[in-house]
Amino acid sequence: MAAGSTRPEEFDKLAIDATSAVPLYRQVRAVLEDQLARGVYAANRPLPSTRYLSQTLGVSRNTVALAYQELTSLGLVESQPRSGLYPVALTRGDGPRRIRATPHARGVDWAARLAARPGESNQLPVTRAPAFPDWREFRYPFISAQPELKSFPVRGWQRAAVEALQTPHLAYSVRDAGDLDDPLLVEALCNEILPPRGVHAAPDEVLVTSGAQQGLSLLADVLLSPKSTVAVENPGYVDAWHICSRIGASVVPVPVDQRGAAIEQAPGFDAIYLTPSHHHPTNVTLSLPRRRILVDELEERDAFAIEDDYDSEFRFRGQPTPSLKSMDTTGRVVYIGSFSKFLSAGLRLGFVVAHRDVIAALRAERHHRSKHLPGHLQRAMGIFIASGEYHRTLRGQRRRLRASWEVLTASVRRYLPMAEDAFPPGGVSLWYAAPDGIDCKRWALRAREQGVLVADGSRYFFPGTWRNNYLRIGFSSLPTDLIEPGVRALAGALPR
């Protein structure tokens, strides 16, 4: 390769730093890129030869050759037979160019662009649902959103995950499935998970989601609009309120009492979001008479219901309550389930059961977000269920949580001042009512200083209906033997 009319002063040996962490060939490439950007080489002037440039810069010819290869790959130079490398004529829209900052250069006003996003103006003035990712820093984490690590079925899940990477499962674990879900997991849902809840569905009526949250978000995008009015429980699940309001839908609260959401007091709605098995956060169950009222209301109003059945398996006295979906004969109930509460929230696995037309629309919407969930995760869960490990784990978790519930209710009655003494036998938390005059938000903050993590109940109330005499005391995230001393520590943090 000819050196052309290259002048030695065009290269500065000081531009190459042999002690730098940046590879030498990239330093050489940067020097050449700078020269190309400054127009040092005319269209008819070849770049210097590898021999000349290696001697001038004090590097090997292989280093220079590698830099030239990258410039060629970037489309900045091109080879002409028996002549050498020449600059590629660039138009304004071509290839990468060296960008130089100027004193008056303006950055992007990201705040303005983010504020202009659809749905931002529709946010309700409430916080997000608490997750408490720092729960392990507290000795007594009285929360329900995190796992109790010792109860996680490590060996069973490990076996399922390893088997999912063996024949014949490997193909399903690593494939690009397009819009499809794992057939083994869908079969397990239809045959083993849903029937005990009174739900019977065909495979084309089921969609696997990244937790119940994604299912709810997809449903809102597909079924709601700014013209929709969505009724929600109050107190209730604040993330559901956010998801619906971001669409532009009107969100209206329905009061909750000891028989669940007061359906008979619900204002006009064309959709309603409910947690009927164990109301979030009070744990009460929607009574059978109110379920019947709701079914009639849905048909009369030409409305539909979203049933979030996040922890129905955890009932400690009597049989689990059949789902609202089990009473649905017209397809007006959309059912959401999750593996988060009994297994692990970190797995992010849930499912939606609905009419096949709704599932097809959800599948199409999911395609533009994530296509499908990780194949290995789905196949491992399918194997975990089919092997019987799921049901063994569920029985063990139910025994553990029942023991924890019994210790917690006894400890709360013994150590904490009581305004109400009704704790439904199920779920993964207690809804504790303090006597009037006790500031539970302040109490929860003081408890943190004593190593006790607990959620104040005010965050679960709809705007304008705020109450500050409740705590949500979870019991699924800590060992049973820490509950009684934890409640004593909580009592010690009570504001005086």
Side-chain angles (χ1 to χ4, degrees), residues 38 163 205 313:
R38 289 190 287 110
E163 187 175 344
E205 296 174 317
E313 298 94 341

Side-chain angles (χ1 to χ4, degrees), residues 10-259:
E10 290 176 348
F11 297 97
D12 185 356
K13 285 188 179 181
L14 296 178
I16 305 300
D17 182 3
T19 64
S20 172
V22 179
L24 291 177
Y25 77 92
R26 289 200 171 178
Q27 295 185 52
V28 174
R29 191 190 82 179
V31 171
L32 293 168
E33 277 185 306
D34 180 69
Q35 291 188 329
L36 289 167
R38 289 190 287 110
V40 171
Y41 302 99
N44 60 352
R45 179 186 174 189
L47 272 70
S49 68
T50 55
R51 181 188 299 277
Y52 175 85
L53 202 54
S54 67
Q55 292 173 350
T56 302
L57 295 178
V59 297
S60 71
R61 292 183 66 182
N62 286 340
T63 297
V64 177
L66 191 55
Y68 276 147
Q69 287 177 17
E70 290 212 347
L71 291 174
T72 303
S73 298
L74 290 170
L76 295 177
V77 299
E78 62 184 355
S79 176
Q80 296 184 12
R82 295 186 295 279
S83 181
L85 289 172
Y86 288 81
V88 173
L90 295 177
T91 63
R92 184 174 179 83
D94 286 337
R97 294 177 291 143
R98 182 182 289 287
I99 299 175
R100 298 180 181 277
T102 62
H104 304 293
R106 289 189 306 151
V108 178
D109 186 353
W110 291 115
R113 291 174 181 264
L114 291 170
R117 288 187 304 160
E120 287 304 297
S121 61
N122 301 319
Q123 286 293 293
L124 291 171
V126 291
T127 61
R128 298 176 182 175
F132 303 113
D134 60 343
W135 98 103
R136 295 188 65 192
E137 298 176 11
F138 295 84
R139 179 166 175 77
Y140 305 113
F142 283 110
I143 57 174
S144 60
Q146 300 291 354
E148 198 283 299
L149 299 181
K150 291 182 179 179
S151 68
F152 183 80
V154 174
R155 291 184 179 178
W157 183 255
Q158 207 169 40
R159 284 192 296 268
V162 170
E163 187 175 344
L165 295 176
Q166 299 172 349
T167 305
H169 303 296
L170 178 61
Y172 291 94
S173 292
V174 301
R175 68 174 181 167
D176 180 347
D179 292 334
L180 301 179
D181 296 319
D182 186 278
L184 182 63
L185 177 55
V186 173
E187 179 184 5
L189 287 167
C190 292
N191 296 337
E192 298 194 46
I193 304 302
L194 294 172
R197 305 181 187 189
V199 179
H200 301 279
D204 62 352
E205 296 174 317
V206 176
L207 182 81
V208 178
T209 60
S210 180
Q213 191 96 336
Q214 187 192 42
L216 181 57
S217 179
L218 290 170
L219 286 167
D221 285 340
V222 168
L223 297 178
L224 301 181
S225 75
K227 297 180 180 180
S228 302
T229 299
V230 183
V232 298
E233 300 154 321
N234 183 37
Y237 182 44
V238 296
D239 277 359
W241 307 346
H242 280 303
I243 289 170
C244 295
S245 65
R246 286 170 65 88
I247 300 298
S250 299
V251 179
V252 295
V254 178
V256 174
D257 58 27
Q258 292 303 313
R259 295 181 293 129

